[in-house]
Amino acid sequence: MADTTATFDFSTWPPALSKAQLDAITLYATTYALSHGVLYLPPAKHQPTVPTAAIHAPISLFPSPVPRRLFEYARKIQRTYNLLYARIAMDEEFLDRVMGADEGVGKVDDFIGQLWKGWKQLRDAGLAQPLHLGLFRSDYLLHYALKDSLSIKQVEFNTISVSFGSLSQRTAELHRYLLAATRYYDASPYFKLDNFPSNDTIAGLASGLAQAHEAYSVDDSQILFVVQPGERNVFDQRPLEYELLEKYSIRIIRQTFDELALSASVDPVTSVLRISCSPDLQPSGVIEISTVYYRSGYMPHEYPTASHYATRFHLERSKAIKCPTVALQLAGGKKVQEVLTQPGVLEYFLANEEKYGRDTLPAEEINNVRKSFMGMWGLDVGEDLQNPDHDAMKAGREEYGVRKAREAASSLVLKPQREGGGNNIYKEDIPPFLDILPPQERSAWIAMELIHPPENFGNYLIRAGTTDLESRTPVKAEVVSELGIFGWALFGGPDKQVVEREVGWLVRTKGKESNEGGVATGFSVLDSLLLVD
């Protein structure tokens, strides 16, 4: 069920603690975080090659309550989402129409257009590797549609560089430790171990990477992590590396786009991707790559020159399995999310016997996914929203989507085709933004109805990274918590089969006054779950 009758009183959260209790539990939490890798590299203009210091990541003191049935519902529909986005990534005609540079978003969004054009050229030349790997995260907020009806609604579906899998597991372990060490001073009857779900995201995400490596099936090949220069979030990435080495004997190499521009080569005959290195590190001086795992490459500023796009497409050209492919990155666009809400589109991907034979889903499973949608539309959409025919929707599209957004601005967010936080336009900022948005750029934006999370819901937040002791004191604030569910899918090949799993969860909590939600961008803290009635 997507909805539940609200019984838990969110306004009672967090439970009251005395100052002595708060001081004690803060010390427990911060020292545990520092001892167990809940860490960031400290802010610096240039990160040192060999790190010399670390700070604990921003964290909450209490886990955040989520109704157990809604948590289980989100986990259940993740597997349908895994299948859905795998099939979208394999549907070139659909992606060309929605995201392409000829008639879709890429026509007016240069970043999307550059990705699509490069992908189109590679397709025309013939792709060397039919398999795709996706490590996914579907993000949700609790939503009150009516006073006593609580549901969860999807914020977005992420297909590239999904982060905080490792740190989400560590934060869940931190809160379970606080329960064991202090019982949270018996401040709430909900503080029972059964209400603190385990979270094995590190093993789950690593199993997806290992599955791709096994499918590549070349001895002594390695997985390439494509990372950002000066990456602060290394302690979220390294546990995956350690899991792959310790459990699967798979070795990892980490490089940036700038490093790969010099080190990466693709064999013109076999399309094997090799990375050159010092013979002191590898006797042959080269490493064959089985899987390319992107922890970067999702924002335009990461492609400051044409050579950065060239490097991305050079890797895409190879036989290595990409996580994600350009196609799968495009599938994660906000425009795709909006198009999925249009009549018949979910059925096209999930109940299309002509296209997928017997591998279709029953109406109940499809409707469970649809229940997680908020209302949304493209700013370029025509008034005939019930007509899924693309050509028919072009008629009258110049004004309707914008006019509807103006009229409902107080209950909307506008989203572009961007990841990473800090890109959206909210409420009263929408009309003046529409005044200056060129008509030809409307197709790059979607309007989405705002989700209404519980009111008067709080937590204690701890941020680090400063020498000011007062700023490191837990701050009690009214908050909003976002639940993310992780999954992976390996798919493609002649049979178009999809192997997929649901593999863990994440909670990020932010002050209610903040519209954005990224931990790395400073808006949110890492949190975990408390399951309630």
Side-chain angles (χ1 to χ4, degrees):
M1 293 289 294
D3 298 275
T4 185
T5 301
T7 57
F8 180 82
D9 185 357
F10 285 89
S11 67
T12 65
W13 208 256
L17 295 181
S18 69
K19 185 179 185 305
Q21 291 170 335
L22 187 61
D23 289 345
I25 206 167
T26 298
L27 182 61
Y28 277 117
T30 54
T31 52
Y32 183 97
L34 290 165
S35 301
H36 290 80
V38 190
L39 301 173
Y40 267 152
L41 293 180
K45 187 173 182 180
H46 299 289
Q47 292 291 345
T49 303
V50 179
T52 58
I55 59 175
H56 71 74
I59 54 175
S60 68
L61 277 189
F62 290 94
S64 286
V66 171
R68 189 182 304 268
R69 283 182 291 176
L70 295 182
F71 173 58
E72 293 302 330
Y73 160 73
R75 293 184 61 197
K76 179 179 180 180
I77 63 174
Q78 181 63 34
R79 302 198 66 177
T80 307
Y81 269 118
N82 293 341
L83 176 64
L84 173 62
Y85 275 84
R87 287 180 173 175
I88 291 170
M90 290 187 288
D91 195 315
E92 295 176 357
E93 182 180 352
F94 176 83
L95 285 177
D96 287 347
R97 175 170 63 83
V98 176
M99 300 296 287
D102 291 338
E103 54 179 326
V105 169
K107 188 175 182 179
V108 297
D109 185 306
D110 182 65
F111 176 55
I112 298 298
Q114 291 275 13
L115 291 176
W116 180 85
K117 289 173 185 176
W119 175 52
K120 179 69 163 57
Q121 290 176 357
L122 292 171
R123 283 160 44 195
D124 291 345
L127 294 171
Q129 177 55 259
L131 292 176
H132 311 237
L133 175 65
L135 299 188
F136 302 139
R137 195 186 70 228
S138 187
D139 293 333
Y140 304 92
L141 290 175
L142 294 177
H143 175 60
Y144 273 113
L146 301 171
K147 183 177 179 181
D148 295 322
S149 178
L150 188 65
S151 62
I152 60 171
K153 296 294 183 180
Q154 188 185 64
V155 177
E156 62 184 0
F157 192 90
N158 303 276
T159 64
I160 181 170
S161 188
V162 294
S163 57
F164 298 112
S166 299
L167 292 186
S168 68
Q169 177 174 328
R170 298 291 186 236
T171 306
E173 292 165 352
L174 182 154
H175 285 144
R176 287 164 71 95
Y177 160 74
L178 293 179
L179 176 69
T182 71
R183 300 193 312 274
Y184 277 100
Y185 305 105
D186 299 319
S188 168
Y190 284 99
F191 287 136
K192 300 176 182 178
L193 186 59
D194 287 348
N195 295 333
F196 287 65
S198 62
N199 192 14
D200 299 316
T201 309
I202 295 171
L205 292 175
S207 70
L209 291 164
Q211 188 90 359
H213 179 84
E214 181 180 349
Y216 188 83
S217 192
V218 172
D219 292 341
D220 295 324
S221 60
Q222 298 185 25
I223 294 178
L224 169 66
F225 282 30
V226 183
V227 298
Q228 295 176 333
E231 174 64 76
R232 292 183 60 210
N233 198 21
V234 294
F235 301 103
D236 186 52
Q237 300 169 11
R238 290 290 187 179
L240 296 177
E241 175 181 341
Y242 305 148
E243 179 80 6
L244 288 164
L245 183 61
E246 294 165 8
K247 187 171 183 178
Y248 302 97
S249 299
I250 300 172
R251 289 178 292 166
I252 305 302
I253 181 172
R254 296 167 59 88
Q255 293 206 351
T256 65
F257 275 133
D258 287 335
E259 290 169 328
L260 289 165
L262 301 175
S263 66
S265 63
V266 177
D267 189 287
V269 177
T270 65
S271 298
V272 167
L273 174 61
R274 296 186 177 92
I275 306 299
S276 61
C277 64
S278 169
D280 292 339
L281 302 177
Q282 181 83 3
S284 66
V286 295
I287 299 169
E288 182 171 349
I289 300 301
S290 68
T291 306
V292 180
Y293 172 43
Y294 289 98
R295 290 300 295 254
S296 62
Y298 55 90
M299 292 286 282
H301 69 77
E302 297 180 274
Y303 301 85
T305 69
S307 67
H308 290 79
Y309 284 104
T311 299
R312 173 70 186 274
F313 300 138
H314 191 53
L315 302 180
E316 192 81 9
R317 182 177 294 112
S318 75
K319 183 182 174 183
I321 297 170
K322 272 70 67 178
C323 178
T325 57
V326 174
L328 188 50
Q329 181 173 349
L330 293 172
K334 305 297 187 296
K335 186 65 178 179
V336 171
Q337 184 185 9
E338 178 261 315
V339 170
L340 288 174
T341 68
Q342 296 176 12
V345 179
L346 276 183
E347 285 75 10
Y348 170 79
F349 284 108
L350 299 175
N352 189 337
E353 291 188 13
E354 182 178 352
K355 191 173 180 69
Y356 300 109
R358 295 183 178 179
D359 294 328
T360 58
L361 299 185
E364 180 181 3
E365 291 187 33
I366 297 171
N367 287 333
N368 278 340
V369 169
R370 184 174 281 112
K371 288 175 183 177
S372 69
F373 293 164
M374 288 299 288
M376 63 188 81
W377 65 90
L379 293 185
D380 63 332
V381 77
E383 192 155 3
D384 187 7
L385 292 176
Q386 299 303 309
N387 190 337
D389 181 78
H390 180 63
D391 292 329
M393 289 180 68
K394 289 180 181 177
R397 67 192 295 174
E398 287 295 317
E399 297 296 335
Y400 179 77
V402 172
R403 186 172 71 250
K404 187 177 178 185
R406 286 186 188 279
E407 292 170 354
S410 63
S411 61
L412 295 180
V413 54
L414 300 186
K415 294 184 175 185
Q417 313 304 306
R418 295 289 180 270
E419 305 297 335
N423 304 296
N424 299 334
I425 310 296
Y426 290 84
K427 297 183 179 180
E428 65 273 5
D429 293 332
I430 290 175
F433 174 77
L434 294 175
D435 290 340
I436 62 173
L437 181 67
Q440 65 271 20
E441 295 183 15
R442 291 171 181 166
S443 62
W445 292 81
I446 69 165
M448 178 176 169
E449 294 175 354
L450 285 170
I451 302 170
H452 297 289
E455 299 280 346
N456 304 313
F457 163 52
N459 208 326
Y460 286 94
L461 313 181
I462 309 176
R463 292 183 171 87
T466 176
T467 57
D468 181 0
L469 290 177
E470 184 176 350
S471 68
R472 286 184 280 153
T473 301
V475 174
K476 186 178 181 181
E478 190 172 348
V479 298
V480 175
S481 293
E482 185 171 298
L483 170 67
I485 305 294
F486 291 98
W488 63 258
L490 181 67
F491 56 95
D495 57 5
K496 306 293 185 183
Q497 290 299 303
V498 178
V499 179
E500 54 76 30
R501 300 287 185 272
E502 175 267 313
V503 293
W505 49 270
L506 160 73
V507 179
R508 292 170 296 174
T509 292
K510 64 181 180 181
K512 186 180 178 183
E513 74 283 353
S514 173
N515 282 324
E516 300 296 343
V519 176
T521 49
F523 298 108
S524 298
V525 305
L526 294 167
D527 198 348
S528 76
L529 281 174
L530 182 77
L531 299 180
V532 298
D533 298 331

PDB file of all heavy atoms in Angstrom, residues 222-241:
ATOM      1  N   GLN A 222      40.492  -4.919 -13.901  1.00  0.00           N
ATOM      2  CA  GLN A 222      40.149  -4.153 -12.717  1.00  0.00           C
ATOM      3  C   GLN A 222      38.958  -3.243 -13.010  1.00  0.00           C
ATOM      4  O   GLN A 222      38.595  -3.030 -14.171  1.00  0.00           O
ATOM      5  CB  GLN A 222      41.348  -3.307 -12.261  1.00  0.00           C
ATOM      6  CG  GLN A 222      42.566  -4.133 -11.861  1.00  0.00           C
ATOM      7  CD  GLN A 222      43.695  -3.299 -11.293  1.00  0.00           C
ATOM      8  OE1 GLN A 222      43.473  -2.210 -10.759  1.00  0.00           O
ATOM      9  NE2 GLN A 222      44.916  -3.815 -11.392  1.00  0.00           N
ATOM     10  N   ILE A 223      38.380  -2.713 -11.940  1.00  0.00           N
ATOM     11  CA  ILE A 223      37.290  -1.747 -12.067  1.00  0.00           C
ATOM     12  C   ILE A 223      37.877  -0.350 -11.943  1.00  0.00           C
ATOM     13  O   ILE A 223      38.682  -0.072 -11.047  1.00  0.00           O
ATOM     14  CB  ILE A 223      36.212  -1.990 -11.001  1.00  0.00           C
ATOM     15  CG1 ILE A 223      35.524  -3.344 -11.239  1.00  0.00           C
ATOM     16  CG2 ILE A 223      35.177  -0.868 -11.009  1.00  0.00           C
ATOM     17  CD1 ILE A 223      34.466  -3.697 -10.194  1.00  0.00           C
ATOM     18  N   LEU A 224      37.478   0.526 -12.854  1.00  0.00           N
ATOM     19  CA  LEU A 224      37.912   1.924 -12.845  1.00  0.00           C
ATOM     20  C   LEU A 224      36.863   2.787 -12.157  1.00  0.00           C
ATOM     21  O   LEU A 224      35.708   2.816 -12.580  1.00  0.00           O
ATOM     22  CB  LEU A 224      38.128   2.403 -14.285  1.00  0.00           C
ATOM     23  CG  LEU A 224      38.327   3.909 -14.497  1.00  0.00           C
ATOM     24  CD1 LEU A 224      39.625   4.378 -13.853  1.00  0.00           C
ATOM     25  CD2 LEU A 224      38.297   4.245 -15.991  1.00  0.00           C
ATOM     26  N   PHE A 225      37.253   3.495 -11.095  1.00  0.00           N
ATOM     27  CA  PHE A 225      36.418   4.516 -10.487  1.00  0.00           C
ATOM     28  C   PHE A 225      36.815   5.858 -11.110  1.00  0.00           C
ATOM     29  O   PHE A 225      37.955   6.299 -10.947  1.00  0.00           O
ATOM     30  CB  PHE A 225      36.646   4.607  -8.979  1.00  0.00           C
ATOM     31  CG  PHE A 225      35.974   3.544  -8.153  1.00  0.00           C
ATOM     32  CD1 PHE A 225      35.740   2.268  -8.643  1.00  0.00           C
ATOM     33  CD2 PHE A 225      35.593   3.800  -6.837  1.00  0.00           C
ATOM     34  CE1 PHE A 225      35.141   1.287  -7.870  1.00  0.00           C
ATOM     35  CE2 PHE A 225      34.993   2.835  -6.055  1.00  0.00           C
ATOM     36  CZ  PHE A 225      34.761   1.570  -6.575  1.00  0.00           C
ATOM     37  N   VAL A 226      35.896   6.503 -11.811  1.00  0.00           N
ATOM     38  CA  VAL A 226      36.148   7.834 -12.371  1.00  0.00           C
ATOM     39  C   VAL A 226      35.691   8.843 -11.328  1.00  0.00           C
ATOM     40  O   VAL A 226      34.500   8.940 -11.029  1.00  0.00           O
ATOM     41  CB  VAL A 226      35.417   8.038 -13.705  1.00  0.00           C
ATOM     42  CG1 VAL A 226      35.771   9.399 -14.300  1.00  0.00           C
ATOM     43  CG2 VAL A 226      35.772   6.922 -14.691  1.00  0.00           C
ATOM     44  N   VAL A 227      36.646   9.588 -10.764  1.00  0.00           N
ATOM     45  CA  VAL A 227      36.361  10.422  -9.595  1.00  0.00           C
ATOM     46  C   VAL A 227      36.628  11.888  -9.903  1.00  0.00           C
ATOM     47  O   VAL A 227      37.287  12.237 -10.874  1.00  0.00           O
ATOM     48  CB  VAL A 227      37.221   9.976  -8.393  1.00  0.00           C
ATOM     49  CG1 VAL A 227      36.875   8.538  -8.005  1.00  0.00           C
ATOM     50  CG2 VAL A 227      38.715  10.090  -8.700  1.00  0.00           C
ATOM     51  N   GLN A 228      36.096  12.747  -9.056  1.00  0.00           N
ATOM     52  CA  GLN A 228      36.317  14.177  -9.186  1.00  0.00           C
ATOM     53  C   GLN A 228      37.675  14.558  -8.610  1.00  0.00           C
ATOM     54  O   GLN A 228      38.129  13.950  -7.630  1.00  0.00           O
ATOM     55  CB  GLN A 228      35.224  14.952  -8.446  1.00  0.00           C
ATOM     56  CG  GLN A 228      33.837  14.778  -9.022  1.00  0.00           C
ATOM     57  CD  GLN A 228      32.773  15.492  -8.206  1.00  0.00           C
ATOM     58  OE1 GLN A 228      32.943  15.685  -7.003  1.00  0.00           O
ATOM     59  NE2 GLN A 228      31.677  15.867  -8.841  1.00  0.00           N
ATOM     60  N   PRO A 229      38.336  15.561  -9.171  1.00  0.00           N
ATOM     61  CA  PRO A 229      39.569  16.051  -8.547  1.00  0.00           C
ATOM     62  C   PRO A 229      39.253  16.691  -7.202  1.00  0.00           C
ATOM     63  O   PRO A 229      38.218  17.333  -7.029  1.00  0.00           O
ATOM     64  CB  PRO A 229      40.088  17.087  -9.557  1.00  0.00           C
ATOM     65  CG  PRO A 229      38.884  17.494 -10.348  1.00  0.00           C
ATOM     66  CD  PRO A 229      37.997  16.301 -10.411  1.00  0.00           C
ATOM     67  N   GLY A 230      40.119  16.465  -6.230  1.00  0.00           N
ATOM     68  CA  GLY A 230      39.888  17.051  -4.910  1.00  0.00           C
ATOM     69  C   GLY A 230      38.667  16.503  -4.209  1.00  0.00           C
ATOM     70  O   GLY A 230      38.040  17.214  -3.414  1.00  0.00           O
ATOM     71  N   GLU A 231      38.303  15.264  -4.459  1.00  0.00           N
ATOM     72  CA  GLU A 231      37.088  14.673  -3.892  1.00  0.00           C
ATOM     73  C   GLU A 231      37.163  14.625  -2.365  1.00  0.00           C
ATOM     74  O   GLU A 231      38.106  14.076  -1.790  1.00  0.00           O
ATOM     75  CB  GLU A 231      36.903  13.259  -4.445  1.00  0.00           C
ATOM     76  CG  GLU A 231      35.757  12.468  -3.850  1.00  0.00           C
ATOM     77  CD  GLU A 231      34.418  13.095  -4.147  1.00  0.00           C
ATOM     78  OE1 GLU A 231      33.958  12.967  -5.287  1.00  0.00           O
ATOM     79  OE2 GLU A 231      33.835  13.714  -3.223  1.00  0.00           O
ATOM     80  N   ARG A 232      36.170  15.226  -1.690  1.00  0.00           N
ATOM     81  CA  ARG A 232      36.092  15.180  -0.230  1.00  0.00           C
ATOM     82  C   ARG A 232      35.374  13.933   0.279  1.00  0.00           C
ATOM     83  O   ARG A 232      35.603  13.484   1.405  1.00  0.00           O
ATOM     84  CB  ARG A 232      35.348  16.408   0.301  1.00  0.00           C
ATOM     85  CG  ARG A 232      36.083  17.735   0.120  1.00  0.00           C
ATOM     86  CD  ARG A 232      35.269  18.864   0.766  1.00  0.00           C
ATOM     87  NE  ARG A 232      35.084  18.612   2.193  1.00  0.00           N
ATOM     88  CZ  ARG A 232      34.025  19.035   2.882  1.00  0.00           C
ATOM     89  NH1 ARG A 232      33.051  19.697   2.286  1.00  0.00           N
ATOM     90  NH2 ARG A 232      33.939  18.789   4.178  1.00  0.00           N
ATOM     91  N   ASN A 233      34.519  13.357  -0.558  1.00  0.00           N
ATOM     92  CA  ASN A 233      33.642  12.275  -0.113  1.00  0.00           C
ATOM     93  C   ASN A 233      34.280  10.901  -0.339  1.00  0.00           C
ATOM     94  O   ASN A 233      33.606   9.940  -0.678  1.00  0.00           O
ATOM     95  CB  ASN A 233      32.299  12.375  -0.851  1.00  0.00           C
ATOM     96  CG  ASN A 233      31.206  11.587  -0.156  1.00  0.00           C
ATOM     97  OD1 ASN A 233      31.294  11.290   1.042  1.00  0.00           O
ATOM     98  ND2 ASN A 233      30.168  11.240  -0.894  1.00  0.00           N
ATOM     99  N   VAL A 234      35.595  10.798  -0.144  1.00  0.00           N
ATOM    100  CA  VAL A 234      36.301   9.543  -0.431  1.00  0.00           C
ATOM    101  C   VAL A 234      35.892   8.434   0.521  1.00  0.00           C
ATOM    102  O   VAL A 234      35.953   7.249   0.155  1.00  0.00           O
ATOM    103  CB  VAL A 234      37.828   9.747  -0.375  1.00  0.00           C
ATOM    104  CG1 VAL A 234      38.287  10.665  -1.490  1.00  0.00           C
ATOM    105  CG2 VAL A 234      38.263  10.297   0.984  1.00  0.00           C
ATOM    106  N   PHE A 235      35.459   8.781   1.729  1.00  0.00           N
ATOM    107  CA  PHE A 235      35.137   7.743   2.704  1.00  0.00           C
ATOM    108  C   PHE A 235      33.778   7.099   2.432  1.00  0.00           C
ATOM    109  O   PHE A 235      33.422   6.125   3.098  1.00  0.00           O
ATOM    110  CB  PHE A 235      35.208   8.324   4.119  1.00  0.00           C
ATOM    111  CG  PHE A 235      36.563   8.881   4.451  1.00  0.00           C
ATOM    112  CD1 PHE A 235      36.788  10.251   4.451  1.00  0.00           C
ATOM    113  CD2 PHE A 235      37.628   8.032   4.718  1.00  0.00           C
ATOM    114  CE1 PHE A 235      38.038  10.768   4.738  1.00  0.00           C
ATOM    115  CE2 PHE A 235      38.887   8.535   5.001  1.00  0.00           C
ATOM    116  CZ  PHE A 235      39.103   9.910   5.010  1.00  0.00           C
ATOM    117  N   ASP A 236      33.047   7.652   1.496  1.00  0.00           N
ATOM    118  CA  ASP A 236      31.856   6.977   0.985  1.00  0.00           C
ATOM    119  C   ASP A 236      32.216   6.016  -0.143  1.00  0.00           C
ATOM    120  O   ASP A 236      31.509   5.037  -0.382  1.00  0.00           O
ATOM    121  CB  ASP A 236      30.841   8.018   0.483  1.00  0.00           C
ATOM    122  CG  ASP A 236      29.516   7.402   0.076  1.00  0.00           C
ATOM    123  OD1 ASP A 236      28.941   6.655   0.891  1.00  0.00           O
ATOM    124  OD2 ASP A 236      29.066   7.649  -1.052  1.00  0.00           O
ATOM    125  N   GLN A 237      33.309   6.292  -0.841  1.00  0.00           N
ATOM    126  CA  GLN A 237      33.721   5.491  -1.993  1.00  0.00           C
ATOM    127  C   GLN A 237      34.641   4.337  -1.615  1.00  0.00           C
ATOM    128  O   GLN A 237      34.532   3.237  -2.162  1.00  0.00           O
ATOM    129  CB  GLN A 237      34.412   6.391  -3.016  1.00  0.00           C
ATOM    130  CG  GLN A 237      33.537   7.518  -3.535  1.00  0.00           C
ATOM    131  CD  GLN A 237      34.306   8.554  -4.330  1.00  0.00           C
ATOM    132  OE1 GLN A 237      35.466   8.363  -4.676  1.00  0.00           O
ATOM    133  NE2 GLN A 237      33.658   9.675  -4.632  1.00  0.00           N
ATOM    134  N   ARG A 238      35.568   4.582  -0.691  1.00  0.00           N
ATOM    135  CA  ARG A 238      36.570   3.577  -0.362  1.00  0.00           C
ATOM    136  C   ARG A 238      35.991   2.273   0.186  1.00  0.00           C
ATOM    137  O   ARG A 238      36.496   1.195  -0.136  1.00  0.00           O
ATOM    138  CB  ARG A 238      37.581   4.157   0.632  1.00  0.00           C
ATOM    139  CG  ARG A 238      38.500   5.210   0.047  1.00  0.00           C
ATOM    140  CD  ARG A 238      39.495   4.616  -0.934  1.00  0.00           C
ATOM    141  NE  ARG A 238      40.494   5.611  -1.361  1.00  0.00           N
ATOM    142  CZ  ARG A 238      41.483   5.367  -2.200  1.00  0.00           C
ATOM    143  NH1 ARG A 238      41.631   4.152  -2.704  1.00  0.00           N
ATOM    144  NH2 ARG A 238      42.321   6.320  -2.544  1.00  0.00           N
ATOM    145  N   PRO A 239      34.938   2.298   1.022  1.00  0.00           N
ATOM    146  CA  PRO A 239      34.411   1.013   1.500  1.00  0.00           C
ATOM    147  C   PRO A 239      33.951   0.083   0.375  1.00  0.00           C
ATOM    148  O   PRO A 239      34.049  -1.141   0.512  1.00  0.00           O
ATOM    149  CB  PRO A 239      33.239   1.429   2.401  1.00  0.00           C
ATOM    150  CG  PRO A 239      33.656   2.765   2.923  1.00  0.00           C
ATOM    151  CD  PRO A 239      34.324   3.431   1.753  1.00  0.00           C
ATOM    152  N   LEU A 240      33.458   0.639  -0.737  1.00  0.00           N
ATOM    153  CA  LEU A 240      33.105  -0.211  -1.874  1.00  0.00           C
ATOM    154  C   LEU A 240      34.359  -0.871  -2.443  1.00  0.00           C
ATOM    155  O   LEU A 240      34.353  -2.053  -2.818  1.00  0.00           O
ATOM    156  CB  LEU A 240      32.410   0.611  -2.962  1.00  0.00           C
ATOM    157  CG  LEU A 240      31.069   1.236  -2.582  1.00  0.00           C
ATOM    158  CD1 LEU A 240      30.542   2.078  -3.740  1.00  0.00           C
ATOM    159  CD2 LEU A 240      30.058   0.164  -2.209  1.00  0.00           C
ATOM    160  N   GLU A 241      35.436  -0.097  -2.519  1.00  0.00           N
ATOM    161  CA  GLU A 241      36.707  -0.635  -2.990  1.00  0.00           C
ATOM    162  C   GLU A 241      37.183  -1.771  -2.087  1.00  0.00           C
ATOM    163  O   GLU A 241      37.616  -2.826  -2.565  1.00  0.00           O
ATOM    164  CB  GLU A 241      37.741   0.483  -3.024  1.00  0.00           C
ATOM    165  CG  GLU A 241      39.146   0.049  -3.391  1.00  0.00           C
ATOM    166  CD  GLU A 241      40.123   1.212  -3.373  1.00  0.00           C
ATOM    167  OE1 GLU A 241      39.693   2.373  -3.442  1.00  0.00           O
ATOM    168  OE2 GLU A 241      41.345   0.932  -3.294  1.00  0.00           O
TER     169      GLU A 241
END
